[in-house]
Amino acid sequence: MSDNNRGFCVILGTGGTIAGRAARAGDNVGYVAGQVRVEDLLGGVPALQGSPLEVEQVDQVDSKDMHFGLWKRLLLRLSHHLARDEVAGVVVTHGTDTLEETAFFIQTVLQPRKPVVFTCAMRPATALVPDGPQNLLDAVTVAGHPEVGGCVVVCAGLVHAPEHLTKVHSYRVDAFDSGDAGPMACVEEGEVRWFHPPASRPIAERSEALLARVLRADALPRVQLVTSHADADGSIVRALLQADPALRPQGIVVAATGNGTVHQSLASALLEAMARGVRVVRATRCARGRVIPDTANPMPDSAGLPPVKARLALALSLLEP
């Protein structure tokens, strides 16, 4: 940490590849995620020995299996630690598969003033050259930086904002990208170099009502994700509308082609869903760009969010007050 006078850092472990273990060194594919405890991960980073740190194991999961219950526990543990005057920031170790979703969810609901730094790895802890130790060291550095606030993601030497982050590669260590916005900063030999000043990313006031609704809920409102493509029709949407009421979606996000365009057959079914009270939002399936707002289109756009984050934003907006 760059300034011990600010307090110390808490590291929360949730599992993922960074805590993965394989039967043999060098196996970067056939490993089991979420096997190494967070205190043992810390022991593999000599540069952090003697640093003022606390560790806590919140869960041990493969992040492909991330779920609302764990998000709620993470919210509670983050709220507890961030409220402590002696805590400067919190690092969360997480799997890469759903990292962009968890970080976006926590930022949206919690809007923390102190830094909450998510980090990860693309290689297990047992790899010949694991990437987790450097990522963890960089994350602690960022968590101790006096200018950092809110949720950020640190991976492969780069600092990303959750609202822009997307996993873009299936196995490379630099698996994440921030699209048109680009990364916020990089970490170079223990120093943070900013590309976008932190002040350019204002943090909204936390909605205590939203946080209370999330913690009170047993599950997020059901929001289905569908994709527009060649030969797309409305059969999936119509089947959802005919499902048992407990399984019927309250919202649908369509991963649309191009600038939010939707196959006419699918669009017809989505308009039927809207007429029956289902909220529909268009996002683009393109890796870059956004759906440009078009007030003439009856299906609203996702305000720049990609499909998986648009699904979360819509679900949060549907939570009963």
Side-chain angles (χ1 to χ4, degrees), residues 49-277:
Q49 304 310 305
S51 297
L53 299 168
E54 274 187 20
V55 298
E56 178 182 333
Q57 195 74 50
V58 178
D59 210 325
Q60 280 281 41
V61 300
D62 186 324
S63 80
K64 69 179 176 58
D65 299 319
M66 186 54 61
H67 55 90
F68 182 62
L70 179 47
W71 281 347
K72 286 175 61 176
R73 290 205 304 278
L74 194 53
L75 280 171
L76 289 170
R77 299 315 298 155
L78 285 168
S79 296
H80 167 75
H81 289 298
L82 293 172
R84 298 167 61 193
D85 291 339
E86 67 272 26
V87 171
V90 180
V91 170
V92 181
T93 61
H94 196 287
T96 60
D97 283 348
T98 55
L99 177 55
E100 63 202 82
E101 296 174 66
T102 299
F104 175 77
F105 176 85
I106 296 295
Q107 175 63 29
T108 302
V109 176
L110 205 56
Q111 296 290 345
R113 291 292 186 243
K114 291 180 180 179
V116 174
V117 183
F118 289 84
T119 195
C120 56
M122 289 297 291
R123 295 171 181 163
T126 51
L128 288 174
V129 186
D131 54 323
Q134 185 65 58
N135 286 342
L136 185 54
L137 176 61
D138 289 347
V140 172
T141 296
V142 172
H145 194 283
E147 294 182 74
V148 177
C151 294
V152 297
V153 176
V154 172
C155 181
L158 295 175
V159 183
H160 301 270
E163 56 268 30
H164 300 139
L165 183 74
T166 303
K167 186 175 180 181
V168 296
H169 205 279
S170 60
Y171 63 83
R172 276 192 341 212
V173 294
D174 57 339
F176 290 97
D177 185 75
S178 283
D180 295 334
M184 298 174 62
C186 66
V187 185
E188 299 172 328
E189 297 299 314
E191 298 293 330
V192 179
R193 179 162 66 92
W194 296 102
F195 304 137
H196 304 297
S200 67
R201 183 198 176 215
I203 298 173
E205 286 296 323
R206 179 193 304 174
S207 169
E208 298 295 341
L210 173 60
L211 177 59
R213 289 198 297 271
V214 169
L215 294 177
R216 198 166 53 234
D218 294 324
L220 284 173
R222 187 175 293 274
V223 175
Q224 188 68 39
L225 185 60
V226 300
T227 303
S228 186
H229 51 81
D231 279 339
D233 60 28
S235 58
I236 292 177
V237 172
R238 293 189 176 95
L240 289 169
L241 295 177
Q242 294 167 9
D244 181 274
L247 301 176
R248 199 173 300 154
Q250 293 177 250
I252 297 174
V253 172
V254 55
T257 46
N259 183 32
T261 56
V262 180
H263 191 291
Q264 60 183 355
S265 298
L266 177 58
S268 177
L270 290 169
L271 291 174
E272 290 176 28
M274 291 178 68
R276 294 176 61 172

